Structures are given as structure tokens and as C-alpha cells.
Amino acid sequence: MVSKLTGNGIIEGSRIILPEHREAYIKAMSEQERRGKPVLDEQEIQLIEEAILESYQECRSITLTVFNPFDDEELRGVVTSIDKPNRRIKLVRAEEDYSWPKIEEIISASI
């Protein structure tokens, strides 16, 4: 007859993970995957701002890459408004679909 006890004295089949512990473990693992924001030099920042201004003035479509700690987000649309005090832009993607990305969170822009 095979014993159900292991080296630590616990029955193998009785191991249970509480939902709270599982969620905490998953959250801790995802926090380890977090990455830092890349540092842009002045020339890259200037190119991004010029592309935003060109999209705003000429109503041209622009593709922005917005920083996210886990995965960068790519947005495509037309810049319709620039909020200078809050340093953000209004990017319209469709008739009723728009977003307000912050300028300092944009890591690349192309027209």
C-alpha cells in the first residue's frame, strides 16, 4: 500500500489555493513584468511635436505609439485639439471614438 503522506507530512490531495491568494500571486507576477518608460532625447521629442502639429494643421492622419508599463499602445487618427495647459491632445479615430493621450506619454509619432 502506497502512503499518501509526503516528506512534509501533508496529504498530497489536500492542497488548496484560495481565490484571494491566487489573485495576489497573479498581481505580483504581473508587477514583475512592468517596465520603465524609455528616455527620449530632445530631437525625438521635437520630431513627435512636429508630427502632432502637422496632423493638427493639415488634418492628416497620424500614428502614435503611447507608452504603457506592460505593452505600448498604437493609436491612429487625426489630431483635432491641443490642450496646452494639461499637455495632451485629442486624437479622433472615428466619428464618436477619440482619446486624450498625454504628450509626455507618446514615444513615437509618424504621419
Side-chain angles (χ1 to χ4, degrees):
M1 182 167 159
V2 179
S3 174
K4 291 187 178 183
L5 296 177
T6 61
N8 61 4
I10 299 175
I11 297 177
E12 276 298 312
S14 68
R15 293 186 183 171
I16 300 173
I17 297 176
L18 296 174
E20 296 85 14
H21 294 166
R22 182 178 182 276
E23 290 170 12
Y25 175 77
I26 291 172
K27 184 177 179 182
M29 288 295 117
S30 67
E31 285 296 319
Q32 289 180 355
E33 295 174 4
R34 182 180 293 250
R35 57 194 177 99
K37 183 179 177 217
V39 178
L40 303 176
D41 65 358
E42 286 296 319
Q43 186 176 7
E44 289 176 281
I45 294 171
Q46 184 177 1
L47 290 173
I48 291 170
E49 290 176 350
E50 287 174 1
I52 290 170
L53 189 60
E54 185 177 340
S55 174
Y56 176 68
Q57 290 175 340
E58 299 177 10
C59 295
R60 292 179 62 187
S61 182
I62 187 172
T63 302
L64 302 175
T65 305
V66 181
F67 173 75
N68 186 316
F70 301 107
D71 190 24
D72 294 337
E73 182 179 3
E74 194 166 286
L75 304 174
R76 184 158 183 78
V78 177
V79 177
T80 58
S81 178
I82 300 174
D83 184 7
K84 288 182 183 178
N86 295 327
R87 292 204 36 89
R88 61 186 189 155
I89 60 172
K90 182 177 183 180
L91 186 72
V92 177
R93 294 177 282 207
E95 179 114 3
E96 296 291 322
D97 186 21
Y98 62 90
S99 59
W100 287 91
K102 292 188 175 191
I103 294 174
E104 57 266 5
E105 294 295 319
I106 298 171
I107 55 176
S108 73
S110 61
I111 292 189

